[in-house]
Amino acid sequence: MKILLMAKRKISSLCCLTLATGCLASGLSEICSPPPIGCWPLDEGSGEKATDQSKNRVDGGIQRPEWVQGSALPALELVRFAGWVALPVRAASLYKMEKALTLAAWIKPDRVDLCQAIVANGGPGVSGYTLLIEKGKIGFGANLGKNKNFAAYSPQVLTPGVWSHVAASFEADGNVRLYHNGQEIFKTPSEGKIRYEPVCAGATLHVGRLTYCIANCYGGLIRNVMLFDRALADGEVAKLHQSTRDVASIQGEVYRDRWLKRCNAVVRGSVEDDKGVKTPAIVSIRDEKGRFYGPEKLFYPVRGGFVCTNGEFEVRVPSGRCKVTAMRGPEWRPAETELVARPDAPVQGALRLTPFVDMASKGWAAGEHHYHFRTHGDQIDGVSPTWPEVCAAAKAGGLKYVSYTESPQNPPVNEENFLAREGGFEGRSHMNMGGHYVFMGAREYPRAITWGFREAARLNMAGVFGTGEQWGEAKIFQPGLTLARDMVVAAALGKHAIWDVVRPESNGKDVTSLWFQQAWYRFLNCGFRVAGSGFTDGDLNLPNIQGGFPGTGRTYVKIASLSWKEIEDAYRQGRMMGTNGPLLLLKVNGQDPGAVVRMDKRGQTAVVELETHAQGGVDAVELIQNGQVIKRFEGRGEHQEDRCEIPIEKTCWLAARCCGKSNNFFGVFAHANPVYVQLADEPIKPCAGDVEFFLKWIEDYRRLLSQPEKCTPHFVDVSCFDEVKAGLLEAEKCYKDLPAHPRKWE
């Protein structure tokens, strides 16, 4: 009763009700009835939980919260790219309104020029709906079926550092209305129901970022986020603003101010190679509590380190002891030092890297073919990396080449010991249905609606199936999952099938790694020369660096000279090793991976030589023949050489994999590509279950194609189904023919 009386007397702020009763939503019943289905005041003042005060009680988790304590009221601050609120997936269906909704929030953005998601269930042009701000405007974006990129924007009304109440209402076949401080400022007709794509089937509502990836992140203070399953009337929005306007009085130190105040000392330093020459490196600075710090322009919690582009750095830190680490990939030993930072004068540190192993002297070059610096997130002047910085980042990872997964806009770099270019398009093989496909070196954008491997052949370039979006075993039949489904056709019908098998987090024993290894081995057992590579799939434009810095996962190629032709030929021929840390070299009868070793008769021996290097120590090295481990060498330190003789009784392939011991700097898994052994004129015969595995793959793919209503435009264009079905039929005949007509190594 007290709440209703206060509301009728037009008490100026329901924030007062929140403080008095702990329930903002219940105080809205006189203003907005029915009340919101989601109501997150974000007034907790501490902790990582966003309490839902609606009847649904769906509390959210706050990623990396920062709380601003005003004179009377607290507010949540979201640090761009680092902080957001995520609602649990189990509640996803609650927020999938198709016909009507209203979104509202109080915001105090730190800048208004960027595209920032306030509340999102999906993302513009992809799925669902988004309340956003951009260029000082309030916006609403949605996937409305035929117009999946529907967007409405208000005039410019927002100012950095100023509180605003923003809202958007939507009615299918009605209007989209945008509100600022309770007043309607824009109206436009909508164009149908909101559609939810399978790509976001496992996602749910987010505050402060898009749902499907860490992009369009909001930065600033935020309060009183509300979601209604109906379009509010103008008067209701006005009352909603009026009744909560005390939020606009919240002032206090924001994260940047606290960061600058806390970081009252300066660490300066340099990184040098073994010859005393300053060199790019990945630098990590941690205080005694394990918190990371980076250059002043990076006002976010640095994830593990930052790129020192020219061998020199200057970073503000709190006074006290800190540890500084410099790394340059697994061919160099990291350098570490401890410093005591004081507020009275900068402290200077010098770190010198020492070589661990020189792979170039052995004819091997490290590189990266799947990495972004512009695709995801916002381009922010002074923060987003420039082309010289992007190239320095690859050098900081100790890479000899990098083909960035971006459309060409910058001139290629051709140095004696380093190559860099754009043009490694992250394309598609039949869109997201057939899988991501990295085209290396294209000068025109490949068609996404056809077979990726045939596009690569048409454009005369190497192409790699990207596998970074698969976790666990592949569910070929399930719509919405981006999987390398087209690989089953590319391996059978293509000439140079390549896919990523070593990712940054692979340890060789996790479910995902094991699935890719076993699928790869089955392709090889069928006589298909499929090559495996290592990758990172990160993005330098996201300060939290998803996946890791360039070269966290990497591919080594055996080349005679550093040129793009040599590198692409090595990919096509399988002269490769994928790794996230250990360095593993395999030779069979003196031949490197990708080669065919010929033998005249049974019983002849193949001499296998293995050379392994792993910082922190080798755990074990395994020799694999036709998918089976036939020899295991236990680790004997950081460097070891192993040799054995294998009697050859049949046409086969020999590959090697290794695990290193856990360490503080690098991953622990590497896999060398196979050497192919051809015995006389005998073909390689598939092992039990190999053919059945791929026939089941094809069957599951057809099962997916039988559900066109679930194959939405973002996932795939159904116009390509006939082409896919024809390819599956041709590949199926090839697999079924293998027992009667097995293949030989060419």
Side-chain angles (χ1 to χ4, degrees):
M1 289 296 295
K2 182 178 180 180
I3 294 175
L4 296 180
L5 288 172
M6 292 172 70
K8 289 178 180 179
R9 289 166 53 193
K10 298 184 180 179
I11 297 298
S12 63
S13 174
L14 280 179
C15 291
C16 298
L17 296 178
T18 305
L19 296 174
T21 69
C23 188
L24 173 61
S26 63
L28 293 171
S29 58
E30 287 291 300
I31 297 172
C32 304
S33 183
I37 63 170
C39 178
W40 300 273
L42 304 177
D43 62 351
E44 288 81 359
S46 64
E48 299 178 350
K49 184 171 80 171
T51 303
D52 180 11
Q53 293 188 354
S54 77
K55 66 178 182 180
N56 290 313
R57 295 292 189 266
V58 181
D59 298 337
I62 308 174
Q63 168 77 19
R64 214 296 202 151
E66 292 287 337
W67 293 100
V68 171
Q69 303 295 338
S71 56
L73 307 172
L76 176 64
E77 180 181 7
L78 298 179
V79 179
R80 184 173 294 104
F81 294 116
W84 56 79
V85 181
L87 278 298
V89 173
R90 62 176 172 78
S93 60
L94 280 174
Y95 311 119
K96 290 188 175 180
M97 289 78 72
E98 295 181 340
K99 297 181 179 180
L101 61 82
T102 300
L103 305 166
W106 277 96
I107 61 170
K108 185 181 179 182
D110 57 11
R111 55 192 301 172
V112 299
D113 54 331
L114 307 175
C115 181
Q116 304 172 66
I118 308 303
V119 182
N121 193 349
V126 177
S127 179
Y129 53 84
T130 305
L131 172 64
L132 54 95
I133 62 173
E134 183 176 12
K135 298 179 180 178
K137 305 174 182 180
I138 302 167
F140 176 80
N143 180 336
L144 299 184
K146 291 183 179 180
N147 185 0
K148 61 183 293 185
N149 292 299
F150 176 85
Y153 287 94
S154 75
Q156 292 184 349
V157 292
L158 302 175
T159 303
V162 175
W163 280 104
S164 290
H165 187 259
V166 297
S169 69
F170 164 84
E171 286 183 297
D173 300 319
N175 291 301
V176 171
R177 301 171 188 266
L178 303 176
Y179 299 86
H180 179 248
N181 291 338
Q183 301 297 311
E184 180 187 301
I185 56 174
F186 185 79
K187 180 176 72 173
T188 188
S190 62
E191 302 174 7
K193 297 178 182 179
I194 296 175
R195 188 167 184 168
Y196 298 88
E197 301 275 10
V199 70
C200 295
T204 185
L205 202 74
H206 279 70
V207 176
R209 54 162 276 198
L210 299 183
T211 296
Y212 60 92
C213 68
I214 304 175
N216 299 124
C217 297
Y218 172 74
L221 306 189
I222 188 166
R223 277 286 306 263
N224 293 19
V225 175
M226 297 185 195
L227 173 61
F228 297 80
D229 58 0
R230 61 189 181 86
L232 296 188
D234 289 355
E236 290 179 297
V237 177
K239 291 177 181 178
L240 185 61
H241 161 256
Q242 177 71 13
S243 62
T244 57
R245 70 178 187 273
D246 274 8
V247 168
S249 68
I250 298 176
Q251 303 294 330
E253 279 189 331
V254 296
Y255 172 71
R256 174 180 172 137
D257 296 336
R258 296 194 302 275
W259 189 87
L260 291 172
K261 184 181 292 185
R262 184 172 75 244
C263 297
N264 58 353
V266 173
V267 169
R268 292 175 181 162
S270 61
V271 183
E272 300 175 350
D273 62 17
D274 56 321
K275 298 180 177 61
V277 178
K278 291 178 181 177
T279 183
I282 306 300
V283 173
S284 166
I285 300 177
R286 307 188 301 279
D287 65 15
E288 292 179 291
K289 295 182 179 180
R291 294 175 299 198
F292 292 94
Y293 297 86
E296 194 164 323
K297 75 173 184 177
L298 308 179
F299 286 107
Y300 48 77
V302 180
R303 179 185 172 185
F306 59 91
V307 178
C308 173
T309 58
N310 61 0
E312 295 182 338
F313 58 89
E314 179 174 309
V315 176
R316 295 174 66 104
V317 299
S319 56
R321 191 174 299 277
C322 62
K323 178 177 284 189
V324 184
T325 304
M327 300 167 53
R328 202 167 186 264
E331 296 182 46
W332 294 83
R333 288 193 183 278
E336 291 190 294
T337 187
E338 286 197 359
L339 302 171
V340 178
R342 297 183 173 85
D344 52 348
V347 61
Q348 190 81 23
L351 298 100
R352 176 167 287 199
L353 302 168
T354 56
F356 177 69
V357 61
D358 184 2
M359 293 291 283
S361 67
K362 304 174 186 294
W364 290 85
E368 178 81 76
H369 59 262
H370 194 166
Y371 207 94
H372 306 271
F373 66 92
R374 193 169 57 234
T375 300
H376 308 104
D378 306 297
Q379 291 294 303
I380 306 174
D381 291 341
V383 176
S384 296
T386 62
W387 178 235
E389 290 172 332
V390 164
C391 294
K395 293 180 180 179
L399 301 179
K400 298 295 186 182
Y401 70 91
V402 58
S403 185
Y404 278 109
T405 317
E406 303 289 355
S407 56
Q409 295 183 16
N410 294 291
V413 174
N414 297 289
E415 299 175 356
E416 182 179 0
N417 294 308
F418 179 73
L419 301 177
R421 69 180 179 189
E422 299 166 297
F425 293 107
E426 183 179 27
R428 302 290 188 269
S429 186
H430 294 118
M431 300 296 287
N432 288 302
M433 182 180 74
H436 287 190
Y437 197 84
V438 178
F439 295 91
M440 297 176 60
R443 285 297 171 262
E444 67 176 81
Y445 207 90
R447 295 172 296 175
I449 202 62
T450 187
W451 301 103
F453 73 96
R454 285 180 173 153
E455 275 295 272
R458 181 180 72 85
L459 297 170
N460 191 31
M461 59 183 174
V464 182
F465 273 100
T467 62
E469 297 196 24
Q470 177 177 326
W471 299 96
E473 297 183 357
K475 298 179 181 178
I476 303 297
F477 59 85
Q478 184 170 324
L481 300 180
T482 300
L483 308 173
R485 291 181 179 86
D486 284 358
M487 186 65 175
V488 72
V489 177
L493 307 182
K495 192 173 182 181
H496 304 293
I498 312 166
W499 66 348
D500 288 325
V501 296
V502 179
R503 58 180 68 202
E505 64 279 0
S506 297
N507 62 20
K509 303 171 185 176
D510 58 279
V511 175
T512 307
S513 295
L514 290 174
W515 189 90
F516 277 109
Q517 288 176 69
Q518 293 306 313
W520 185 21
Y521 298 165
R522 291 183 187 276
F523 278 127
L524 296 170
N525 288 346
C526 289
F528 303 129
R529 292 183 56 172
V530 172
S533 49
F535 72 105
T536 303
D537 192 10
D539 197 320
L540 281 173
N541 197 40
L542 295 179
N544 57 4
I545 312 294
Q546 294 183 91
F549 292 97
T552 304
R554 60 182 59 200
T555 298
Y556 276 86
V557 291
K558 183 65 181 293
I559 54 178
S561 60
L562 188 62
S563 70
W564 285 116
K565 182 181 185 307
E566 280 277 328
I567 293 166
E568 291 174 17
D569 284 347
Y571 271 78
R572 293 186 181 100
Q573 296 166 18
R575 301 197 309 267
M576 295 190 294
M577 179 261 295
T579 182
N580 55 31
L583 305 170
L584 173 63
L585 304 183
L586 165 70
K587 284 183 179 291
V588 177
N589 285 5
Q591 299 297 305
D592 294 307
V596 177
V597 173
R598 302 187 181 277
M599 295 194 171
D600 298 327
K601 57 185 178 179
R602 286 186 176 85
Q604 285 184 290
T605 58
V607 178
V608 177
E609 299 170 279
L610 295 163
E611 181 181 342
T612 313
H613 310 272
Q615 298 201 41
V618 177
D619 183 48
V621 182
E622 294 177 330
L623 181 64
I624 303 156
Q625 183 183 48
N626 290 10
Q628 302 298 315
V629 176
I630 60 171
K631 198 79 174 177
R632 178 182 170 92
F633 302 94
E634 299 298 330
R636 303 186 303 278
E638 292 187 320
H639 307 273
Q640 69 184 61
E641 295 182 2
D642 297 287
R643 184 181 184 278
C644 64
E645 296 185 0
I646 305 297
I648 300 300
E649 303 295 338
K650 58 185 177 181
T651 294
C652 63
W653 55 269
L654 294 167
R657 64 191 182 197
C658 78
C659 286
K661 294 183 177 179
S662 179
N663 62 90
N664 294 326
F665 305 108
F666 305 106
V668 297
F669 185 58
H671 206 303
N673 271 251
V675 175
Y676 304 96
V677 181
Q678 178 65 48
L679 177 60
D681 200 38
E682 294 185 8
I684 183 169
K685 297 179 180 179
C687 299
D690 292 335
V691 172
E692 289 77 7
F693 178 85
F694 295 115
L695 293 179
K696 178 65 164 54
W697 186 325
I698 291 171
E699 177 187 339
D700 286 347
Y701 205 159
R702 287 180 175 140
R703 179 178 163 191
L704 170 66
L705 297 175
S706 70
Q707 308 172 69
E709 72 282 358
K710 296 183 179 179
C711 296
T712 50
H714 179 79
F715 186 56
V716 68
D717 188 332
V718 296
S719 66
C720 74
F721 276 24
D722 287 344
E723 178 184 87
V724 176
K725 290 175 182 177
L728 291 175
L729 180 61
E730 188 178 358
E732 183 180 51
K733 291 178 181 177
C734 182
Y735 287 106
K736 286 183 175 180
D737 193 48
L738 285 174
H741 300 92
R743 299 166 62 91
K744 303 172 187 176
W745 301 127
E746 298 177 357

